[in-house]
Every structure is written in C-alpha cells, then in structure tokens.
Amino acid sequence: MKLTGNTVFITGGGSGIGRGIAEALHNLGNKVIISGRRKNLLEEVTKANPGMRSLELDLENPSSIAFVSQTLIERYPDLNVVFNNAGIMEFDDAAAILDENLLTSTITTNLLGPIRMTSALIEHLKKQNEAAVLYTTSWLAFTPFALTAVYCATKAAMHSYALSQRYMLRGTSVRVIEIVPPWTQTDMLNSTKEPRAMPLQEFLNETMRLLGTDTDEVVVEGAKRVRNNAGPNEHPYVIEFNNWLSGV
Ligand SMILES: NC(=O)c1ccc[n+]([C@@H]2O[C@H](COP(=O)([O-])OP(=O)(O)OC[C@H]3O[C@@H](n4cnc5c(N)ncnc54)[C@H](OP(=O)(O)O)[C@@H]3O)[C@@H](O)[C@H]2O)c1
C-alpha cells in the first residue's frame, strides 16, 4: 500500500505492534489517530509523537465503536485507512469447561469488534480515491496454539472474513490487507523478553517494508512455515509446533 499521504485510524495503537506501526506511519508523514481503552497509554504515545491524535475506544462495546466511527468521519473527513490491530489473548482449555467471560470477551474484541468497526466506516472509505482496511491476525490463524484455542479461532475467522471482504470490495477503491505476525516481543502473554519471539523492532522493520509493496498479506520470513502449513496434511506440524510452544 501507499505509505504516505494517508489518514490512518489504528486500534490498539497505545502499545506493542500497534504503537510501532502507528509511529512508523507518523514518521512517514501520515496523519495517525490511535485508539484503545487505556487513556494514559494513548496520552504517552501522542505526547511522544507531536501531531498524532487519539480516541478512547472499547471494542467490546458497540456504542463505543459507533461513537468513535462517527467522530472519525466528522473530525477526519480524509480518513482512508482503518487498521484493526487491537486484540486480546488468554490461555484456555479446549478439553474442559471454558470460562464464559474469556470466551465472550475474546470473540467480541478480536472478531466482532473489527467487523463492527469496519462496517461502520466502509461507506466512508469507499468514497476515498485510495483506501485500505487492515487486519492484524496471527500466524496462529493458520496453525493453532492449542493452549489458546479461542484466540486462534478468532484469528482464523478474521482471516476468512478478510478474504471475503477483499472479494466483495474488488473493483472499489478499498484494499483489504492482512498482517500475519509471528510470536513477537510485546506485552501479549508477557512476551517482551521471550527469546523464542521475534524482537519487536525487527518485526516492525520487515513489516513496514512489506506493507510498502502491493502484497495483500504481510508475512515476515520467520512466519512463513507456520502460515503455509494449513492443508490436508497439516496435523503432524500442528503437533510439532505445539510441542515447541509448550516446551515439550
Ligand atoms: N505479540 C504477538 O506475539 C502477536 C502475534 C500474532 C498476532 N498478534 C496480534 O497483534 C495485535 C497487537 O498485539 P500486541 O502484540 O501489540 O499486544 P498488546 O501490546 O497487548 O496490544 C494489544 C492492544 O489491543 C488493545 N485492546 C485490547 N482490548 C481492547 C478493547 N476492548 N478495545 C480497544 N482496544 C483494545 C490494547 O489497548 P488497551 O488495553 O489500552 O485497550 C493494546 O494496545 C493483536 O491483535 C494480537 O493478537 C500479536
């Protein structure tokens, strides 16, 4: 996608991958609006990046999505990139009774939230000369980590939704782009110092380079094996991958 001259709204821009991409786009001269629930984080990031703006958002709350999307359209009529990056990840046990709160909050935040957000802004995006909807899914959309089964299911569903939306938007000004991170050193699952995870800055450098191409799917080199495993013979590697993640 074009990496300059955009007005970009990004969810989860107060931390981790979202913050990194928001800052990279800001430094390239794009107008960037970050969002999330934690006001203190949003203020910290906008203060560190003069000109960047923020809006408080709770993706679990449809009224918050409606309010933020309306505010975006009124305040930033040039908005042409909606980046659904926010997400939550918690351990679960698909072999036992699931915690109802974990189930609903994960599906609401990771799947319903981005779908509602994009739906609220899609007619606005279609009026722009060049527009894009981005989703941060995960390599776990393609090869699941069994200890986070609900999370992986939301990311697989998001990938599927992105494929359908890309097809439906063919011939319009709106592109649909998926970012498929590997395990990356962020706060997610307390991974900032995890040696098996990709250092955040390395992930951001490779991702921004790929994002600047015409690819629909941004997959860093280290995520390719896991992304490309899905298919009729996927089971042996699902086991090998889960053993590696679980330290077996
Ligand atoms: N790190 C990895 O290993 C990895 C790998 C593959 C994919 N991903 C995906 O990358 C994305 C970013 O994650 P990250 O690694 O950068 O972790 P992170 O630092 O924890 O970022 C997650 C962001 O989502 C926001 N968020 C969570 N719930 C929200 C809600 N209800 N409403 C609005 N915002 C909400 C959080 O902000 P608030 O808490 O302030 O709301 C936070 O800024 C996620 O979609 C994640 O699934 C991460």
Side-chain angles (χ1 to χ4, degrees), residues 11-20 35-42 56-61 64 84-89 105 108-110 135-140 151 154-155 179-189 191 197-198 200 203:
T11 66
S15 66
I17 291 172
R19 175 176 182 165
S35 67
R37 293 165 301 179
R38 285 169 291 175
K39 201 176 172 195
N40 60 323
L41 280 193
L42 299 177
E56 276 180 73
L57 166 74
D58 183 359
L59 281 168
E60 286 198 68
N61 180 354
S64 173
N84 297 285
N85 164 78
I88 54 171
M89 180 182 201
S105 66
T108 311
T109 307
N110 294 3
Y135 297 99
T136 305
T137 61
S138 171
W139 66 351
L140 303 180
Y151 171 84
T154 63
K155 295 297 186 177
I179 298 190
V180 184
W183 198 356
T184 306
Q185 289 177 345
T186 71
D187 290 340
M188 193 152 274
L189 292 188
S191 301
M198 186 169 187
L200 179 59
F203 168 79

Side-chain angles (χ1 to χ4, degrees), residues 1-3 80-85 131-137 158-159 162-163 165-166 169 174-180 207 210-219:
M1 67 175 263
K2 180 171 71 83
L3 291 183
N80 70 325
V81 177
V82 174
F83 193 157
N84 297 285
N85 164 78
V133 177
L134 288 90
Y135 297 99
T136 305
T137 61
M158 204 67 258
H159 167 68
L163 290 177
Q165 193 173 51
R166 187 176 298 124
L169 287 167
V174 189
R175 292 193 51 200
V176 176
I177 300 170
E178 183 176 351
I179 298 190
V180 184
T207 292
L210 292 167
L211 203 54
T213 68
D214 61 1
T215 188
D216 290 332
E217 231 190 67
V218 174
V219 187

Side-chain angles (χ1 to χ4, degrees), residues 17-31:
I17 291 172
R19 175 176 182 165
I21 293 181
E23 291 185 326
L25 289 170
H26 175 78
N27 291 336
L28 285 166
N30 298 279
K31 175 96 203 153

Side-chain angles (χ1 to χ4, degrees), residues 50-120:
M52 193 185 280
R53 296 284 179 259
S54 71
L55 285 169
E56 276 180 73
L57 166 74
D58 183 359
L59 281 168
E60 286 198 68
N61 180 354
S63 308
S64 173
I65 294 175
F67 178 77
V68 166
S69 54
Q70 200 46 45
T71 305
L72 283 167
I73 291 169
E74 283 165 18
R75 222 178 266 176
Y76 307 102
D78 292 337
L79 177 79
N80 70 325
V81 177
V82 174
F83 193 157
N84 297 285
N85 164 78
I88 54 171
M89 180 182 201
E90 287 182 57
F91 287 107
D92 56 34
D93 185 351
I97 297 169
L98 283 175
D99 180 85
E100 181 62 23
N101 287 337
L102 178 150
L103 183 61
T104 48
S105 66
T106 307
I107 293 176
T108 311
T109 307
N110 294 3
L111 183 62
L112 301 184
I115 292 176
R116 286 186 177 126
M117 180 55 77
T118 308
S119 166

Side-chain angles (χ1 to χ4, degrees), residues 202-234:
E202 278 177 33
F203 168 79
L204 292 170
N205 293 345
E206 199 174 336
T207 292
M208 288 305 296
R209 186 180 58 72
L210 292 167
L211 203 54
T213 68
D214 61 1
T215 188
D216 290 332
E217 231 190 67
V218 174
V219 187
V220 298
E221 203 54 41
K224 284 188 177 158
R225 171 73 178 92
V226 176
R227 191 269 172 258
N228 295 335
N229 183 58
N233 301 312
E234 65 196 346

